[in-house]
Amino acid sequence: MSQQEPPYNQSTPNQDNTINPMDLLKDEEWLRKAIEAEDKVGGNIGAGLDWGSAFGELMLNFELLGRLKTLRISLNREVRLLLNNWNLGTATRVAVKTAKEKLLQRLRLPTPDVRGRILAILEMDELYCEEFISDQQILRELIGILLTQSDWETIAAVAADSLKAQIMQQVSVEKISA
């Protein structure tokens, strides 16, 4: 019984139904299919942050990785405060939610210029003395860089749609007709 079985065989999974990802790299069939899948979409299939070579620097430096989390939380807080100040009424909640989603998208896939700006902010020791970054100017500047005109248009459209839906619901509840 010295014959070696392939590391991954779809018809006979491991006894505990788990797959060791490192074993998959040794399986020529799986590797061939993975390459074909990447070719179909025209590149690398990935998930999470797409920081290129800079992501390695973040992963090796737990302090920077922790600061990135603090920065993300601080940006979310700042965009919430900003939109609350705009008196959007009941549309504020959905506008904030959409803005946070857009911020997360931009943080996951930053352009090289944005990535450089984020890395510079992550290295500013004086910003990370508290639970949140309190320098409103830096946070708002970064929000201005991260959120594009298109993002703001999406945020406005979602807020307007939410307000329209609320008005139409009230009209139907109160049986107001035109």
Side-chain angles (χ1 to χ4, degrees), residues 102-115:
K102 292 295 182 182
L103 282 172
L104 184 58
Q105 286 175 357
R106 299 292 178 230
L107 286 171
R108 282 186 172 155
L109 298 167
T111 64
D113 291 339
V114 170
R115 184 174 37 235

Side-chain angles (χ1 to χ4, degrees), residues 153-164:
E153 288 172 5
T154 299
I155 293 164
V158 167
D161 289 346
S162 172
L163 188 56
K164 179 181 175 181

Side-chain angles (χ1 to χ4, degrees), residues 49 64-82 96 99-101 103-105 107-108 118 121-122 127-128 130-136 138-140 142-143 146:
L49 299 173
L64 282 183
L65 200 54
R67 287 181 176 192
L68 179 62
K69 180 180 177 182
T70 299
L71 178 61
R72 183 184 55 80
I73 291 168
S74 298
L75 286 167
N76 284 342
R77 180 176 178 261
E78 191 61 35
V79 81
R80 180 179 49 80
L81 293 172
L82 178 68
V96 169
K100 287 178 178 182
E101 289 169 358
L103 282 172
L104 184 58
Q105 286 175 357
L107 286 171
R108 282 186 172 155
I118 292 170
I121 290 172
L122 292 176
L127 296 178
Y128 300 93
E130 301 172 18
E131 184 179 359
F132 296 103
I133 296 172
S134 59
D135 191 325
Q136 197 175 47
I138 286 179
L139 292 172
R140 293 217 175 167
L142 190 54
I143 289 170
L146 288 169

Side-chain angles (χ1 to χ4, degrees), residues 10 20 22 25 45 54 59 61 77 88 105 109-110 119 124 137 141 145 149 165 167 175:
Q10 288 181 337
N20 180 347
M22 294 309 290
L25 295 176
I45 299 172
M59 289 303 293
N61 188 328
R77 180 176 178 261
L88 302 177
Q105 286 175 357
L109 298 167
L119 287 172
M124 299 172 78
Q137 181 180 351
E141 178 185 315
I145 292 169
Q149 183 70 27
I167 290 171
K175 309 246 190 269

Side-chain angles (χ1 to χ4, degrees), residues 4 10 13 37 39 41 50 54 62 99 115 117 134 137-138 142 148:
Q4 207 175 20
Q10 288 181 337
D39 287 343
V41 297
D50 184 16
F62 291 118
R115 184 174 37 235
R117 181 68 179 128
S134 59
Q137 181 180 351
I138 286 179
L142 190 54
T148 65

Side-chain angles (χ1 to χ4, degrees), residues 3-9 12 14 23 26-29:
Q3 185 180 14
Q4 207 175 20
E5 291 182 21
Y8 173 69
N9 184 337
T12 58
N14 295 347
D23 288 344
K26 298 174 190 172
D27 183 349
E28 289 182 30
E29 173 76 14

